[in-house]
Amino acid sequence: MTRAWSVTDIRSMEGEREQFAHVVKHLYRPAEHWEQVVPELAESRGKALGAESPTFFPSKGPDWSAVPDAYRRCVLSDHDRLYAPAYREALCDAEAAGRFGQLESNGPGPGWAFVDSRGVYVIVGERKMQAPKVRTAYRVLPPHASSRRTEDFFKAAVRRLRDKSSYPERGS
Amino acid sequence: MDPVAWLQKAYDELVELGGSTAPDPSDAWRAVALIARLVGSPNGPVPPADVLQRLPEFLATAERPDVQGLLDRVDEGLDVDEDAGGPLLDGLLDVDDAVGLLQLNGNETVALELARRVAGLVALCPERVLALGSFAEMRLATLRDDAVVGAVWRAVEAAPAYVLAEALPAVGEATDLIEPLAARLTWLEDAWHQVQGSTGDVVHAVATGVTASQGPAGGTHVDFAANLGKPREPSVELVWGEVRRFDIPLKTTVKLRVPPACQLWYRTSAGSAPLTESAWQLEAGESPVLITVTESTSAKSADAAVANGARAAGVLLVQVDDEGSSAS
């Protein structure tokens, strides 16, 4: 499988609503333990809480239109400061390690998945006549909640990469 | 995704894990899941004997599945409007793994109940799993007909049928649906005649699994899978030498799955080029768009492919407004 682009060509998540949704659904989700990737996260969570968050990090995320402005600003700031740098770093790490594969008909369009050494799983969508874009970035949950070491997340992510994509290529 | 290659990857990974002297619980869980995939397949590679001998050790090391936690993961994945190939598919694969582990551990009843409940959850949200139809089809091809976990993947595969009736755009069947447009657009008339002229022995290309779902921008996502194989029901036939018309709203994505030996091309009033993504999202000002499938892998253009004797079929995408009337 070949790509006509490199990870440096990939656009980050676009649109505040999309960025907000993914930060709340993934970066703030306790079960994904993003503090292993972004040590500053604990402090940020506290700030978001202090900004009158409507509900404490629900897995489904609060309604964008219903959240207070201060909370929304905190979340969007965390996208730019913490989440986007983390998933962009993950893309570079995964590409350097050859840990990526093409997704075949199991998403909303053509795409690729990348897994970095910290167990961050990034899905990149290819778009017609546009630069590819990050569709989501999350940490694959290990089979059991009791497994929460970085190594557990890494193994879980690589295993799902194998299951869902062309990775590993034959002969690699 | 090729079922044979998928099973081969499972085999290769199992061989690697089998070489581990002291697997941790997650490695043991994975080894059991891979063994289950291989022994549950009607025609894939069988697990190596030395690894299979270690099954009791793997089962003892792997933790018991948290059934409620697995149901919660799938439920959560179904409820969140996000790439279905992400956490949702992970959750379904977690269930798949757990069912295999439960069965190999002799917990057939719990495995059956888990599979049924997940299939029920999927049936409640068919629109969320539409994009996973191809994956489900592949997974089912690696399972025996009576496999317990088959209930999960059949529910995913069947989801389009529930959504299809309401969401599928009208499919043009008659030549007179193309003719009025072709009479006004010289490029379309030429391309249409080119496709018509390409037919040799009539071989039917069958479009199966026509599905639709709400895209992220509120548009309709149509998964239009064309296979040159045995026809399945429900199906929409594509025929070499013919162009079928789809009247679709703006932002609708039409996706075609075609055999490896075929190429896709698009043509609009602005020109023609290869279609590398196997998909087209209809944008404002593009209609009509002709997507051509040619039975060729090396041609530089659709014209060249047909000139060299390749057969062709086409799909004409025509913008329809919200009231259902065509804008072109």
Side-chain angles (χ1 to χ4, degrees), chain A residues 105, chain B residues 207 222-227 238 246 253-259 264-265 275 277-280 291-293 313-315 317:
Chain A
S105 303
Chain B
V222 178
D223 185 339
F224 165 64
N227 294 320
L238 295 181
F246 281 72
T253 299
V254 173
K255 195 162 73 174
L256 293 101
R257 276 191 297 116
V258 294
L264 287 167
W265 314 87
L275 182 61
E277 298 177 7
S278 304
W280 187 276
I291 309 291
T292 311
V293 185
V315 176
L317 309 180

Side-chain angles (χ1 to χ4, degrees), chain B residues 158-176:
Chain B
Y162 297 108
V163 182
L164 184 62
E166 291 180 7
L168 183 66
V171 178
E173 292 185 0
T175 297
D176 60 11

